[in-house]
Amino acid sequence: MRYLPFILLALYLVAMWFFSAWRLRQELNQKATPLTHPRLTPMLDRLGRAMDLPPIRAHVYEIDPVNGLAAPDGRIFLTRGFLRKLDADEVTPEELASVIAHELGHVSLGHSRRRMIDFAGQNAIRMALAGVLGRFLPGIGTWIANLIATAVAARLSRQDEFEADRFASALMIKAGLGTAPQKSLFLKLDRLTGSGGAGAPAWFLSHPPAARRIAAIEAHEARWRG
Ligand SMILES: [Zn+2]
C-alpha cells in the first residue's frame, strides 16, 4: 500500500474543503439579510439591466468591518459596516454599485468556487513542502513551507482581483455609471477599512494596492477607447 499516504492526504483535503464550505455557509445563513437599502435599489436595477437580467439580488452580511463578498454559492454580500458608511455619506451609492459589480465579476468568472479549491491546493503545497523541507531543515522547514504556500495563494487571488475589477469596469460603463466611482472607492478603502480598529478585514488584505488597481483600470479604458 505505497499509495495509502496519498489517498489519506486526498481524503483529508476533500474533508477540509467540505468543512470550510459548510462553515462559511452556516455563518452567512445566520448573519445574512436581504439588501433592500432604498439608495441601492436603483443601482441593483441598473446593474441587472446592463447584464440583461432582472434587478441583481444582494444580501447584507451583518458584521461591522467594511467588506464585500462573493460566496461560493454565488450570493453577493455587502457588510452592514459598508452600508453604515453609505448612511454616513462616506461612500456613495455608485461606489457601492462598483463593489457589487466587482463581486458579480468573481461569481461570473467562477472565482469564488475556485477559491475553495485553491484552499485545498494551498494545504497540499504546504503539507508536501513541509514534509520535504522539514527533513532537511527541522523546525524552520515548516515555516518556509507556510511562507511559500501563502505567497502562492496571495499571487493567485490578486490575479482574480484584477480580473474582477476589469469585469466591474465593463459593467459599470455599460450601466452608465462609469469607472469613476470604482476608482474613487479604491482611494477611500485604506481609510475606511483602517477605521474599524479590529485588524484589517480579509477583503482589504486579499486586494492589491489602490494605485495598481486604478492604473490597471485606466489601461483597460485606454484600450477599449482605442
Ligand atoms: Zn475581490
Side-chain angles (χ1 to χ4, degrees), residues 83-164:
L83 294 184
R84 284 200 196 103
K85 298 294 177 189
L86 175 65
D87 292 330
D89 282 320
E90 288 179 50
V91 297
T92 64
E94 289 80 6
E95 284 170 342
L96 284 188
S98 80
V99 177
I100 293 167
H102 173 96
E103 302 306 334
L104 281 170
H106 280 312
V107 173
S108 305
L109 299 165
H111 294 162
S112 21
R113 209 165 301 154
R114 197 172 73 209
R115 183 88 314 124
M116 299 303 293
I117 297 166
D118 286 353
F119 174 77
Q122 194 191 338
N123 266 320
I125 297 172
R126 198 189 303 272
M127 289 169 85
L129 279 176
V132 175
L133 291 175
R135 197 167 299 172
F136 299 110
L137 306 161
I140 199 171
T142 313
W143 182 76
I144 295 174
N146 271 324
L147 211 66
I148 295 174
T150 307
V152 168
R155 192 75 242 156
L156 289 174
S157 77
R158 286 197 164 199
Q159 210 168 305
D160 284 359
E161 295 317 319
F162 283 114
E163 286 178 19

Side-chain angles (χ1 to χ4, degrees), residues 4-204:
L4 187 61
F6 296 101
I7 294 168
L8 288 177
L9 177 62
L11 284 177
Y12 168 78
L13 293 174
V14 169
M16 287 286 286
W17 178 29
F18 275 108
F19 177 68
S20 59
W22 172 82
R23 207 172 43 182
L24 178 64
R25 201 161 43 232
Q26 291 291 102
E27 163 78 8
L28 290 176
N29 286 346
Q30 278 162 15
K31 295 183 183 163
T33 52
L35 176 59
T36 54
H37 198 290
R39 294 172 73 195
L40 289 179
T41 308
M43 297 296 143
L44 296 170
D45 200 55
R46 284 178 86 150
L47 292 178
R49 243 181 300 147
M51 295 172 85
D52 294 318
L53 290 171
I56 299 298
R57 280 230 310 265
H59 307 264
V60 183
Y61 184 14
E62 298 289 346
I63 59 168
D64 288 329
V66 169
N67 215 330
L69 178 81
D73 60 14
R75 282 184 296 172
I76 287 167
F77 295 86
L78 292 180
T79 61
R80 179 60 64 190
F82 229 151
L83 294 184
R84 284 200 196 103
K85 298 294 177 189
L86 175 65
D87 292 330
D89 282 320
E90 288 179 50
V91 297
T92 64
E94 289 80 6
E95 284 170 342
L96 284 188
S98 80
V99 177
I100 293 167
H102 173 96
E103 302 306 334
L104 281 170
H106 280 312
V107 173
S108 305
L109 299 165
H111 294 162
S112 21
R113 209 165 301 154
R114 197 172 73 209
R115 183 88 314 124
M116 299 303 293
I117 297 166
D118 286 353
F119 174 77
Q122 194 191 338
N123 266 320
I125 297 172
R126 198 189 303 272
M127 289 169 85
L129 279 176
V132 175
L133 291 175
R135 197 167 299 172
F136 299 110
L137 306 161
I140 199 171
T142 313
W143 182 76
I144 295 174
N146 271 324
L147 211 66
I148 295 174
T150 307
V152 168
R155 192 75 242 156
L156 289 174
S157 77
R158 286 197 164 199
Q159 210 168 305
D160 284 359
E161 295 317 319
F162 283 114
E163 286 178 19
D165 280 349
R166 189 180 53 192
F167 180 99
S169 298
L171 185 58
M172 290 289 284
I173 291 170
K174 198 168 177 215
L177 297 166
T179 58
Q182 206 182 358
K183 292 184 237 174
S184 60
L185 183 67
F186 291 158
L187 294 174
K188 291 178 183 178
L189 265 182
D190 302 21
R191 196 162 41 79
L192 286 178
T193 51
S195 65
W203 193 60
F204 175 63

